[in-house]
């Protein structure tokens, strides 16, 4: 009998599904791509045909223009070549999916990036039992424990209120994290206008069009210092320390990322208020997920593989590193 998953072939540039003649999240243009979610390291432009959720396709449309797009809604399935393909929520960003591949009596689930805690901007992760679970491991070390999101958001609101003549400038990745921080602020009762950097306008508009309410948002461009005093301003991490931020009223610099757990990273970016808010699973979420999915094998795409490999060995789960390249971590940007 053939080895489990012998029809799935990992290459450095992505996962090739032989009987479908298709690639999952390829980092180079391919004739047929199945895409888990819209982050740039998973969703590239220039493929022949793209299969993804309608939300992911809409995000790719904003970033890359029109694709040869084949939408598959959560829970629907399509046949590609000889493989039954379906998409279930991954809880990572709007439209993010785990891709389920059924072939020859075997089930493989490619997680893409995922998290387990609630996120007001996307559908929660669905546990799908399978033979092979192909997982990320961005925060795959026991030291990574993400605190409760609500308490991080409360720290942000308290800091804002403590110095109302200043503003708090929050660095957050433009797809997913920015909208989540805004929605989490709304959920904690912060209904003031929130200002944003122009680079986020199209994606924030798209989230609203796709049914994620973000409350009153205003472009920081054109607003005066006096107008922005006492308010939260969201920008991409790259804009935190650049010229752009000099127009703001004495900003308190914050950043929302799982990496803010590491003090050194916060210092490198001159972040005064590190907010540990991640769209990836922490160590407990990764191991809990492997327990619940209970696969025969775990394959690890990218991140810190060693500790998770070791954990799998201790728990009698066969594990394998795929060493895919080109998956940078968007929280790192
Ligand atoms: Zn991602
Ligand atoms: Zn990623």
């Amino acid at each position: 009998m053939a080895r489990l998953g012998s029809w799935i072939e990992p290459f450095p540039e992505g996962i090739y599904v032989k009987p479908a003649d298709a690639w999952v999240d390829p980092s180079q243009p391919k004739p047929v791509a199945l895409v888990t979610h819209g982050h740039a390291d998973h969703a590239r432009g220039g493929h022949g045909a793209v299969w993804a959720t309608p939300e992911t396709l809409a995000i790719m449309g904003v970033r890359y223009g029109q694709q040869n797009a084949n939408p598959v809604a959560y829970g629907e399935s399509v046949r590609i070549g000889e493989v039954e393909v379906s998409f279930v929520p991954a809880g990572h960003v709007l439209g993010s999916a785990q891709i389920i591949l059924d072939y020859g009596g075997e089930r493989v689930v490619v997680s893409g990036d995922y998290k387990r805690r609630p996120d007001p901007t996307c559908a929660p992760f669905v546990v799908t039992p399978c033979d092979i679970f192909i997982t990320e491991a961005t925060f795959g070390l026991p030291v990574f424990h993400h605190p409760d999101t609500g308490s991080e958001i409360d720290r942000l609101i308290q800091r804002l209120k403590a110095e109302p003549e200043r503003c708090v400038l929050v660095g957050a990745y433009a797809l997913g994290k920015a909208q989540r921080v805004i929605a989490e602020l709304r959920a904690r009762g912060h209904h003031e206008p929130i200002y944003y950097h122009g680079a986020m306008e199209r994606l924030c508009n798209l989230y609203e069009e796709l049914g994620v309410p973000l409350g009153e948002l205003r472009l920081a461009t054109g607003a005066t210092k006096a107008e922005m005093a006492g308010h939260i301003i969201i920008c991409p991490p790259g804009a935190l320390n650049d010229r752009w931020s000099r127009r703001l009223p004495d900003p308190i610099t914050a950043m929302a990322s799982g990496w803010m757990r590491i003090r050194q990273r916060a210092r490198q970016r001159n972040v005064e208020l590190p907010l540990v808010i991640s769209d990836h699973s922490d160590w407990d979420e990764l191991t809990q997920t492997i327990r619940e999915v209970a696969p025969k094998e775990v394959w690890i795409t990218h991140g810190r593989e060693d500790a998770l490999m070791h954990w799998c060995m201790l728990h009698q789960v066969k594990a394998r590193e795929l060493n895919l390249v080109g998956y940078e971590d968007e929280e790192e940007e």
Side-chain angles (χ1 to χ4, degrees):
M1 219 189 92
R3 175 175 55 80
L4 194 65
S6 58
W7 48 285
I8 302 277
E9 214 175 324
F11 286 88
E13 77 264 33
I15 294 162
Y16 181 57
V17 186
K18 276 186 269 183
D21 194 16
W23 294 76
V24 179
D25 289 356
S27 58
Q28 290 168 14
K30 298 289 179 190
V32 182
L34 317 176
V35 175
T36 58
H37 67 286
H39 280 142
D41 52 332
H42 299 258
R44 306 261 167 157
H47 300 307
V50 178
W51 300 80
T53 63
E55 296 84 359
T56 295
L57 290 169
I59 290 164
M60 290 177 78
V62 164
R63 297 190 139 178
Y64 306 119
Q66 206 54 47
Q67 311 275 310
N68 175 355
N70 303 274
V72 188
Y74 291 138
E76 279 178 7
S77 78
V78 289
R79 199 171 175 87
I80 302 176
E82 298 164 50
V83 181
E84 208 62 33
V85 180
S86 42
F87 291 70
V88 298
H92 176 57
V93 296
L94 182 62
S96 66
Q98 309 168 69
I99 298 180
I100 305 177
L101 304 162
D102 283 301
Y103 172 76
E106 291 178 6
R107 167 166 285 189
V108 175
V109 173
V110 185
S111 74
D113 296 335
Y114 65 99
K115 69 174 176 293
R116 301 300 304 275
R117 52 192 77 205
D119 176 339
T121 67
C122 65
F125 182 95
V126 172
V127 170
T128 307
C130 58
D131 298 297
I132 299 175
F133 184 57
I134 304 186
T135 183
E136 60 137 326
T138 302
F139 292 107
L141 286 174
V143 63
F144 288 112
H145 171 74
H146 305 326
D148 171 65
T149 311
S151 62
E152 295 298 282
I153 293 293
D154 288 348
R155 285 174 48 229
L156 169 56
I157 295 171
Q158 280 157 17
R159 190 62 209 267
L160 179 74
K161 290 189 173 155
E163 291 181 89
E165 68 292 351
R166 301 178 70 185
C167 67
V168 181
L169 176 62
V170 184
Y173 190 77
L175 167 58
K177 188 65 62 64
Q179 295 79 19
R180 180 178 173 210
V181 167
I182 294 167
E184 300 274 12
L185 278 162
R186 302 312 189 198
R188 301 302 278 190
H190 183 81
H191 299 298
E192 304 290 307
I194 294 174
Y195 288 85
Y196 61 45
H197 186 283
M200 289 165 167
E201 188 173 19
R202 292 171 79 193
L203 285 168
C204 287
N205 288 345
L206 181 65
Y207 264 61
E208 293 229 288
E209 278 165 34
L210 294 173
V212 180
L214 299 175
E216 189 184 349
L217 301 181
R218 294 180 183 168
L219 263 177
T221 313
T224 64
K225 281 193 185 188
E227 283 167 335
M228 291 187 280
H231 289 285
I232 291 170
I233 300 162
I234 312 244
C235 71
L240 274 182
N241 299 307
D242 76 7
R243 290 177 59 86
W244 177 84
S245 65
R246 289 187 214 158
R247 333 172 14 255
L248 307 176
D250 194 11
I252 297 158
T253 303
M255 176 151 162
S257 162
W259 296 111
M260 291 296 103
R261 174 81 178 67
I262 312 285
R263 279 164 181 281
Q264 207 184 328
R265 299 242 187 170
R267 269 202 303 269
Q268 275 165 6
R269 288 183 174 271
N270 298 316
V271 170
E272 217 180 305
L273 180 66
L275 302 169
V276 187
I277 300 176
S278 177
D279 285 329
H280 293 269
S281 294
D282 65 10
W283 174 256
D284 289 343
E285 291 170 76
L286 288 169
T287 54
Q288 174 205 345
T289 302
I290 293 171
R291 278 201 180 94
E292 290 177 5
V293 171
K296 295 194 183 93
E297 292 186 19
V298 170
W299 296 4
I300 305 169
T301 52
H302 63 301
R304 279 130 201 88
E305 298 89 335
D306 295 359
L308 201 57
M309 291 282 294
H310 186 71
W311 184 92
C312 287
M313 200 182 75
L314 288 178
H315 292 80
Q316 267 111 44
V317 184
K318 205 171 155 190
R320 171 180 178 192
E321 302 174 42
L322 302 186
N323 298 315
L324 303 190
V325 296
Y327 286 10
E328 296 98 34
D329 163 26
E330 68 278 351
E331 304 215 352
E332 184 117 59
E333 187 223 338

